Amino acid sequence: DTAVSQTPKYLVTQMGNDKSIKCEQNLGHDTMYWYKQDSKKFLKIMFSYNNKELIINETVPNRFSPKSPDKAHLNLHINSLELGDSAVYFCASSQSVQGSGEQYFGPGTRLTVT
Amino acid sequence: SQQGEEDPQALSIQEGENATMNCSYKTSINNLQWYRQNSGRGLVHLILIRSNEREKHSGRLRVTLDTSKKSSSLLITASRAADTASYFCATSSGNTPLVFGKGTRLSVIA
């Protein structure tokens, strides 16, 4: 059984469009995250949610809006996509609130904006 | 600012050899973690070492932590082709989120 799943795996879209990426975890964890990994493999935290509440929002443009309908799901909606948004987006979860414990990652969503 | 910095950026070894990767960081930490990322996949947690620990083992993995030098090393013994991946260190400090380094790309040649 997949612990952290993301859909879609690949997303190709044009500039200006709006798209969403979905994430689900079946580990019973309280905390979920979104990361962005750029072409140089640098992984940067974007958001962190604990029990549906936003606890971390790094300097991410407000075109990015996370939504957590319940603690097992954390979706990422992106408005007005730009070329620079092209990257791999990873969802992750952990039991600890402050992100200090082990994190479980999804397989990633490769977003290409043309 | 980025916390962990792995060294080297890339490493190529023969199967059966040992691989050593290093990670340096800048501020005090609660713990340091190592993750592996196979090409096109998500990160997989390998090992966590707390700030009051100096060494930890897990199978063929050995991690050391030197808080006085703010550095950690990951040793993979008797490497296999399947160990080919990128390896990232990540540091946990206070209430801040995990901060990942840029990773070391390990290639194990059969």
Side-chain angles (χ1 to χ4, degrees):
Chain A
D1 287 341
T2 305
V4 182
S5 59
Q6 294 177 229
T7 54
K9 188 166 174 61
Y10 300 97
L11 186 52
V12 181
T13 188
Q14 291 185 328
M15 279 196 309
N17 285 348
D18 303 338
K19 290 292 177 187
S20 292
I21 307 171
K22 294 185 177 181
C23 177
E24 176 181 2
Q25 54 97 2
N26 63 6
L27 298 166
H29 288 165
D30 288 336
T31 308
M32 296 184 73
Y33 312 84
W34 276 109
Y35 288 89
K36 178 181 180 181
Q37 186 173 45
D38 62 24
S39 58
K40 296 183 179 178
K41 302 296 185 186
F42 182 44
L43 195 71
K44 189 172 161 85
I45 182 93
M46 299 174 69
F47 299 103
S48 172
Y49 266 72
N50 176 254
N51 239 332
K52 303 193 299 175
E53 302 275 336
L54 177 67
I55 55 173
I56 291 170
N57 180 354
E58 293 293 302
T59 50
V60 176
N62 57 15
R63 297 182 296 104
F64 290 79
S65 53
K67 286 187 172 50
S68 182
D70 55 62
K71 76 172 194 176
H73 296 84
L74 180 62
N75 303 323
L76 183 65
H77 188 75
I78 316 170
N79 289 327
S80 303
L81 278 155
E82 300 177 357
L83 292 176
D85 297 333
S86 295
V88 182
Y89 292 83
F90 287 98
C91 177
S93 72
S94 71
Q95 188 55 44
S96 63
V97 174
Q98 296 163 351
S100 61
E102 173 182 352
Q103 294 190 13
Y104 292 78
F105 282 76
T109 295
R110 182 174 293 277
L111 171 65
T112 303
V113 183
T114 62
Chain B
S1 63
Q2 187 176 328
Q3 174 76 305
E5 291 273 354
E6 290 91 343
D7 169 58
Q9 289 188 359
L11 179 61
S12 183
I13 59 173
Q14 297 287 328
E15 206 167 28
E17 293 180 340
N18 295 342
T20 300
M21 288 159 268
N22 302 298
C23 171
S24 59
Y25 57 92
K26 296 176 184 173
T27 64
S28 61
I29 60 171
N30 298 330
N31 66 63
L32 185 144
Q33 304 177 33
W34 285 92
Y35 288 79
R36 183 187 73 231
Q37 184 180 30
N38 290 88
S39 180
R41 309 288 290 273
L43 279 73
V44 174
H45 183 267
L46 295 175
I47 201 164
L48 181 154
I49 187 164
R50 301 185 197 287
S51 59
N52 61 354
E53 297 176 311
R54 292 296 166 258
E55 188 170 313
K56 210 159 180 182
H57 297 256
S58 176
R60 293 183 296 111
L61 305 181
R62 173 178 168 249
V63 168
T64 61
L65 179 65
D66 187 335
T67 52
S68 65
K69 294 181 180 177
K70 292 187 169 56
S71 68
S72 172
S73 67
L74 170 67
L75 168 68
I76 305 174
T77 59
S79 63
R80 305 167 182 168
D83 294 328
T84 295
S86 290
Y87 291 82
F88 294 86
C89 69
T91 52
S92 169
S93 304
N95 292 331
T96 59
L98 274 188
V99 179
F100 287 81
K102 292 183 179 178
T104 292
R105 288 191 316 279
L106 173 66
S107 298
V108 181
I109 303 164

